[in-house]
Structures are given as C-alpha cells and as structure tokens.
Amino acid sequence: MVRTPLTPEERERGERLGRLLRDARGPRSMVSVAAEAGLSAETLRKIETGRAPTPALFTVAALASVLGLSLDEIVLRCELAAAA
C-alpha cells in the first residue's frame, strides 16, 4: 500500500498535536506516560516531535486519557492554532 504524501497543513497539525501533548505531559517522563498509555516511549517521542504527524485515533485517545485531555479539547486546540 502506498501512502499519499502529507500536506503541509497535515504536517503542521501533527506538530501542534505534539506540542500540546508535550505541554500536557509537563514534568512527567516520556517513558512513564508512554507506559501508562500502553505505547512505547519511541512512539510518544515521534508524536511529540512531529515525526508521526498522523497517529491512530486509539493512540491519541490513550494519551488523552493519561494526560487528562478530552478528544474534543485536542481537536479544538490543534485547529485553533491553524486559524490564528
């Protein structure tokens, strides 16, 4: 299966998601948050740095739960940054 290239907007949204998750993680270690969400630290690292700009919904949902964010809040905060 060939993946279509991401648009600049999709890449930017992935970077905003990464910043949001990093900010929500605060002083907690990447390893502990990833483990609690059932992910590898490398997966979380890729999402936070924008190297994985389109993570699966269930991955985002698991991180949101661990970080005390709602999916609605994530969508709103990522999209608001695009409009600003």
Side-chain angles (χ1 to χ4, degrees), residues 32-64:
S32 69
V33 169
E36 196 173 337
L39 308 171
S40 71
E42 183 58 23
T43 296
L44 181 53
R45 182 176 293 107
K46 286 178 181 178
I47 295 168
E48 285 189 357
T49 60
R51 288 183 15 228
T54 57
L57 173 63
F58 291 106
T59 299
V60 176
L63 287 167

Side-chain angles (χ1 to χ4, degrees), residues 57-73:
L57 173 63
F58 291 106
T59 299
V60 176
L63 287 167
S65 177
V66 168
L67 296 171
L69 299 169
S70 72
L71 291 176
D72 287 337
E73 180 180 5

